[in-house]
Amino acid sequence: RGGGRCAVKYIGSAFKYLFKNFIFLFLFALLPSYFLAMSVDIENLAALAESALAASADFTFWQLFTFLSPFNAEGWPFALLFLAACAVFIPMLLGFTEKHMRIGSRSYKGIAGRLNTNFLPTLVVLVLFMLVYELWALLAAGLVYAVTLLLDGTACFVLAIAVLLGANALLAWFASAFLLWLPCMQITGYSYIDSLNFSGQLYARRRGKLFLAVFLPLLAGVVLQFAIVAASPLEALRIPAYVFLELVYLFLFLYYCILMYVAYFDAAGEERMDLAKKYG
């Protein structure tokens, strides 16, 4: 129960910071979320949503992979632009957030310097995560599709959903295990390996809480993607769908970047100076 409460505290604290400072933060997420939304195959997502609403497992491996991976047949150019945008904007967003939480200064001053300092570590972690994510997308699509080959009817649909849920839980576990790596590098100045070791020590004491703080918003994001497309006929929703998907991705993008620092400051026992005025 304590782990669940702490996970809710992490989620609530990250979203509270997001909404309180949204006017300063959203600019960092506009292009990454736009390119990610444009990588989505809406027709494919609509077909999967239709199958889900009918409690049917009538889909192919490539439909599943296209849903899970932005590097699909239609969306890969936007996926590359998404990666490029992340490589530029994540270092600035993390620099802004770190400075605000560490010394209480909420401004864009020095943001270019943060880009120079944070660019290479962010790029390394980003590329490693995307490689792992693409491997995960292949395996997850393969496992869910295998269920459709072995079973049929309602049992097939239920088991396919369970396998997909388990695959997302595995992804969330992996992401949570490395969530504190970048903050450790940027705040302590340690090397890649030393930062990884330190982040592992911090993670070990909060693994369940960090997992839930990553998994629950991820699950909500998956459900929202289907809900957006299933809410109305495709032709009437095509343009608004991209807008709503971009909003979902924008908030999740900001949430996970902020969560890194919310969790780091808590795990390392460091005072957040953006909150210091509450106690002064």
Side-chain angles (χ1 to χ4, degrees):
R1 291 186 302 177
R5 285 196 300 270
C6 195
V8 171
K9 183 185 77 172
Y10 281 165
I11 294 171
S13 182
F15 275 114
K16 182 178 179 180
Y17 182 89
L18 192 166
F19 289 118
K20 187 176 180 180
N21 300 282
F22 184 77
I23 194 68
F24 292 90
L25 301 173
F26 81 98
L27 292 173
F28 296 114
L30 279 178
L31 280 180
S33 59
Y34 170 76
F35 290 135
L36 186 57
M38 292 302 295
S39 75
V40 175
D41 186 330
I42 292 291
E43 287 84 357
N44 179 69
L45 185 56
L48 291 175
E50 184 179 346
S51 294
L53 287 173
S56 167
D58 183 22
F59 42 72
T60 67
F61 168 82
W62 287 112
Q63 281 182 301
L64 290 167
F65 180 74
T66 297
F67 163 63
L68 294 173
S69 171
F71 288 93
N72 53 68
E74 300 293 331
W76 67 266
F78 290 105
L80 290 175
L81 290 170
F82 164 71
L83 273 180
C86 285
V88 172
F89 287 102
I90 288 180
M92 292 191 289
L93 171 59
L94 297 184
F96 175 90
T97 305
E98 183 246 322
K99 183 176 73 168
H100 188 204
M101 291 187 179
R102 185 167 54 85
I103 65 176
S105 174
R106 186 175 65 175
S107 73
Y108 294 131
K109 185 178 180 180
I111 205 71
R114 297 287 176 164
L115 172 60
N116 291 333
T117 303
N118 296 343
F119 178 77
L120 187 58
T122 302
L123 182 63
V124 169
V125 173
L126 182 64
V127 170
L128 287 175
F129 182 79
M130 287 306 300
L131 289 174
V132 172
Y133 181 86
E134 286 303 301
L135 177 60
W136 170 85
L138 281 170
L139 292 174
L143 287 172
V144 175
Y145 182 61
V147 171
T148 69
L149 299 178
L150 297 173
L151 299 171
D152 54 23
T154 303
C156 175
F157 175 76
V158 171
L159 186 57
I161 293 296
V163 171
L164 183 59
L165 188 66
N168 276 278
L170 178 63
L171 178 66
W173 169 81
F174 175 82
S176 66
F178 293 93
L179 188 73
L180 303 179
W181 191 13
L182 266 178
C184 285
M185 275 191 281
Q186 293 172 6
I187 293 178
T188 66
Y190 292 165
S191 67
Y192 289 95
I193 299 302
D194 289 342
S195 297
L196 187 60
N197 288 334
F198 182 44
S199 68
Q201 295 170 20
L202 297 178
Y203 166 76
R205 299 195 296 269
R206 287 167 170 77
R207 56 168 60 93
K209 307 156 192 175
L210 287 172
F211 166 75
L212 288 175
V214 173
F215 177 65
L216 294 179
L218 172 65
L219 184 60
V222 172
V223 172
L224 280 173
Q225 288 181 81
F226 281 103
I228 287 167
V229 175
S232 180
L234 179 61
E235 292 303 319
L237 192 68
R238 183 179 180 89
I239 294 177
Y242 283 111
V243 175
F244 285 117
L245 284 173
E246 181 179 359
L247 285 173
V248 170
Y249 297 149
L250 184 147
F251 280 102
L252 288 178
F253 177 87
L254 291 175
Y255 167 79
Y256 285 117
C257 288
I258 293 165
L259 179 64
M260 292 183 197
Y261 283 90
V262 167
Y264 174 83
F265 275 84
D266 178 73
E270 296 188 17
E271 183 183 7
R272 278 178 51 184
M273 297 308 295
D274 63 305
L275 302 177
K277 60 185 178 182
K278 286 188 175 183
Y279 310 105

